[in-house]
Amino acid sequence: MAKKAKPVDAMQADNSLSIQQSPDETGAQALARKLLQPSFKNAVAASAFTDKALGSGIEKPGLADYATHVQSMTGKAAGGDLDMASRILSAQAIALDSMFAELARRTALNMGEYINAAERYGRLALKAQSNCRATLDTLAKLHQPREQTVRHVHVNEGGQAVIADQFHHHTGAEENAETADQSDATGAAGASPALPSPDPLGSGVPIPGGTNPGAPEGNRNAFKHGGRSAATVAAARYLRELARLVRENRA
């Protein structure tokens, strides 16, 4: 079996841009389509930050090298592979926790003498802590099974509604893609349970209101405060007239 040939120079940067032009587009349109691809645009941004981190005097990868890696990772994520997302969230949580520890240390150093600086460092520390917690929550949700509730409402003859809930558990992107093949809840497997009969005594005469007999006794919502009764309105009119006469006598 022939071995795979190794590159002549392992650090030879690839800055070439490969464009495939379709018959229904011009060369400029093909170039614009290539430049606007998510993998290419994010590769440009990633290379700008990474090159600064490497510093000068070090041979750096080319733009096409970055684009190839980004396109590979995005293709795996689109196929349901959550490994890259999990690694990114874990690394970001560690970085945010490091920021919190350093900012909290600076808060303590400035607490006694430079209160304004201590307050600024404290606010930044709390922001880093909050973002770290949110990142960890997202990471936990990524690996925990998700529950989906599907509610079906069936209206029978006579206006009686039957509500049934079904719960579907999902653990990842691959299983989420299978939910489209699930059977309809109205079928035999997901038949809605019938509500109790509105005539439990079997007398043949349905109870008015079905299973809902109406408001309970002593309903506070039906309480009348009497603020708009005829006696109350007359008393208020009398007091207003009395106050008018008092003002006129004072004048």
Side-chain angles (χ1 to χ4, degrees):
M1 181 177 180
K3 295 183 179 180
K4 184 178 180 180
K6 295 183 179 180
V8 178
D9 185 1
M11 283 303 299
Q12 184 177 0
D14 185 6
N15 288 303
S16 62
L17 185 62
S18 177
I19 303 175
Q20 295 181 354
Q21 180 180 353
S22 61
D24 57 345
E25 64 180 355
T26 64
Q29 292 173 343
L31 178 59
R33 175 174 51 80
K34 180 68 177 182
L35 296 177
L36 292 178
Q37 287 181 351
S39 59
F40 182 82
K41 292 189 298 182
N42 287 275
V44 174
S47 63
F49 285 100
T50 307
D51 290 348
K52 290 184 178 180
L54 293 177
S56 59
I58 300 179
E59 190 175 0
K60 303 176 181 61
L63 185 59
D65 298 322
Y66 285 102
T68 300
H69 177 71
V70 172
Q71 187 173 5
S72 175
M73 292 298 100
T74 54
K76 291 181 179 180
D81 188 355
L82 302 178
D83 180 70
M84 187 65 178
S86 178
R87 292 175 183 272
I88 290 177
L89 291 173
S90 301
Q92 289 178 351
I94 294 174
L96 288 168
D97 182 63
S98 301
M99 292 174 60
F100 165 75
E102 175 61 21
L103 291 169
R105 183 186 70 85
R106 297 193 180 192
T107 302
L109 291 177
N110 292 273
M111 184 65 70
E113 188 174 358
Y114 305 102
I115 188 65
N116 291 333
E119 181 182 3
R120 292 182 180 180
Y121 282 127
R123 291 179 182 274
L124 292 175
L126 293 178
K127 286 184 178 181
Q129 181 190 50
S130 177
N131 289 331
C132 179
R133 182 172 59 250
T135 303
L136 292 176
D137 290 342
T138 304
L139 181 62
K141 292 178 181 179
L142 188 66
H143 293 282
Q144 286 179 352
R146 287 173 287 178
E147 185 178 84
Q148 180 183 5
T149 304
V150 181
R151 173 163 293 184
H152 303 274
V153 180
H154 307 280
V155 181
N156 299 331
E157 294 183 1
Q160 183 181 11
V162 180
I163 302 177
D165 292 337
Q166 289 189 344
F167 300 93
H168 306 283
H169 297 276
H170 309 291
T171 56
E174 295 181 357
E175 295 188 9
N176 288 339
E178 298 175 358
T179 58
D181 298 332
Q182 294 175 349
S183 61
D184 187 13
T186 58
S192 303
L195 293 178
S197 172
D199 184 18
L201 300 179
S203 60
V205 180
I207 299 176
T211 58
N212 184 11
E217 295 182 0
N219 186 6
R220 296 183 60 86
N221 295 330
F223 176 74
K224 296 183 179 179
H225 50 75
R228 298 295 181 181
S229 64
T232 303
V233 173
R237 185 182 302 110
Y238 172 78
L239 291 176
R240 288 196 299 270
E241 184 66 20
L242 182 61
R244 185 184 64 81
L245 294 175
V246 171
R247 288 195 300 269
E248 290 179 354
N249 291 333
R250 289 181 179 179

